[in-house]
């Protein structure tokens, strides 16, 4: 009886070996990507800031600095600029601004404040309505870059509405009594946030605004009269 040649596409051995190679290559890629991601999301230190080293997630000590959001022509989207722009789209880490009356928060103090804010956000289930870093809901505004929202700036309506003299004070005042300041038809409920918790949440929001999120949320910087720089 004549033996007919068997097509490779119907060979169990071929498909078994192919599956093994694909699984092996995918596993190696996953391991490499995991190490790369870990390096990208590891929080920077105060020493990095002192040495003007930009980290995707900078040290919380950046709450001592002025934060802007400027267009990076090479990357095609806005990036956080900390303490002034060096003219080449990089942070200078020089220009400071008062945060609740101080611009000398130590790394330990800043970390404690930011952690308090993060825990408060989690305890109050803020992501039931808001989005932070791509997680949460879209019932209420995305908070990823809330610190940069011009509504809280000196020319925005929130400082006048709350009677505060600075952005951080306006945000903290609003968080403690949101029912007194109707800003949206979907009014934020009063969550019983204390003054210290509100301070922590504002620090958390300011620190989050300094995280390089590759331009997310999209078009945030193009708000009229806001932080977009041609």
């Amino acid at each position: 009886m004549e033996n007919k040649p068997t097509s490779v596409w119907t060979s169990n051995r071929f498909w078994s070996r192919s599956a093994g190679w694909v699984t092996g290559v995918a596993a190696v890629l996953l391991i490499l990507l995991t190490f790369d991601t870990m390096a990208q999301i590891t929080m920077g230190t105060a020493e990095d800031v002192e040495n003007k080293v930009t980290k995707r997630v900078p040290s919380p000590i950046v709450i001592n600095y002025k934060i802007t959001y400027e267009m990076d022509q090479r990357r095609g989207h806005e990036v956080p600029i900390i303490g002034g722009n060096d003219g080449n789209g990089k942070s200078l880490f020089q220009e400071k601004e008062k945060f609740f009356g101080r611009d000398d928060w130590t790394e330990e103090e800043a970390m404690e404040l930011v952690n308090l804010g993060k825990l408060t956000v989690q305890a109050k289930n803020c992501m039931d309505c808001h989005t932070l870093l791509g997680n949460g809901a879209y019932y209420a505004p995305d908070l990823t870059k809330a610190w940069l929202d011009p509504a809280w700036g000196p020319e925005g309506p929130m400082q006048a509405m709350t009677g505060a003299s600075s952005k951080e004070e306006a945000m903290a005042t609003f968080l403690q009594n949101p029912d007194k300041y109707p800003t949206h038809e979907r009014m934020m409920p009063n969550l019983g946030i204390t003054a210290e918790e509100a301070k922590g949440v504002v620090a958390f929001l300011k620190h989050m605004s300094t995280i390089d999120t590759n331009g997310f949320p999209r078009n945030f910087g193009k708000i009229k009269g806001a932080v977009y720089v041609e």
Side-chain angles (χ1 to χ4, degrees):
M1 184 175 178
E2 183 181 358
N3 290 328
K4 293 184 178 179
T6 304
S7 169
V8 69
W9 303 111
T10 59
S11 168
N12 288 337
R13 187 179 181 186
F14 169 78
W15 288 112
S16 176
R17 287 188 173 183
S18 297
W21 275 104
V22 170
T23 302
V25 171
V28 171
L29 285 175
L30 186 59
I31 291 170
L32 292 175
L33 288 173
T34 299
F35 279 108
D36 180 67
T37 301
M38 291 296 292
Q40 294 282 346
I41 66 174
T42 298
M43 181 179 287
T45 64
E47 188 177 358
D48 292 326
V49 174
E50 291 170 1
N51 293 325
K52 307 184 189 314
V53 176
T54 299
K55 291 286 186 178
R56 187 174 290 272
V57 183
S59 163
I61 205 171
V62 295
I63 63 174
N64 291 315
Y65 291 84
K66 181 181 180 180
I67 311 299
T68 55
Y69 202 43
E70 302 180 22
M71 173 61 74
D72 184 315
Q73 298 295 345
R74 183 180 64 81
R75 296 173 63 182
H77 56 71
E78 295 84 1
V79 297
I81 297 295
I82 304 168
N85 194 325
D86 69 352
N88 295 309
K90 303 293 184 183
S91 297
L92 271 175
F93 301 101
Q94 288 184 349
E95 190 175 354
K96 288 193 167 184
E97 69 178 4
K98 299 283 187 184
F99 186 72
F100 290 105
R102 294 178 52 189
D103 62 4
D104 59 352
W105 295 85
T106 66
E107 187 169 41
E108 184 179 3
E109 290 174 328
M111 179 70 81
E112 184 176 348
L113 201 56
V114 169
N115 279 338
L116 172 61
K118 180 182 178 184
L119 291 174
T120 301
V121 166
Q122 293 172 335
K124 302 298 181 182
N125 294 318
C126 296
M127 289 196 294
D128 279 356
C129 296
H130 297 280
T131 302
L132 294 91
L133 297 172
N135 296 309
Y138 285 91
Y139 184 76
D142 189 317
L143 298 182
T144 304
K145 300 298 178 189
W147 173 261
L148 301 166
D149 189 332
W152 301 100
E155 296 179 0
M158 295 309 298
Q159 285 193 31
M161 187 182 293
T162 58
S165 57
S166 68
K167 179 190 291 188
E168 62 271 23
E169 289 171 358
M171 296 177 86
T173 300
F174 172 81
L175 287 169
Q176 293 172 77
N177 301 285
D179 47 336
K180 289 185 179 179
Y181 309 109
T183 57
H184 196 275
E185 59 181 6
R186 299 172 182 172
M187 185 182 295
M188 177 176 163
N190 192 325
L191 301 175
I193 296 175
T194 67
E196 194 60 23
E197 288 172 338
K199 196 172 177 180
V201 172
V202 178
F204 175 63
L205 293 176
K206 183 171 185 180
H207 178 250
M208 187 162 53
S209 75
T210 66
I211 296 175
D212 186 345
T213 54
N214 285 331
F216 175 86
R218 291 292 177 191
N219 300 319
F220 176 83
K222 294 183 176 61
I223 298 172
K224 184 178 180 182
V227 292
Y228 182 68
V229 178
E230 292 283 0

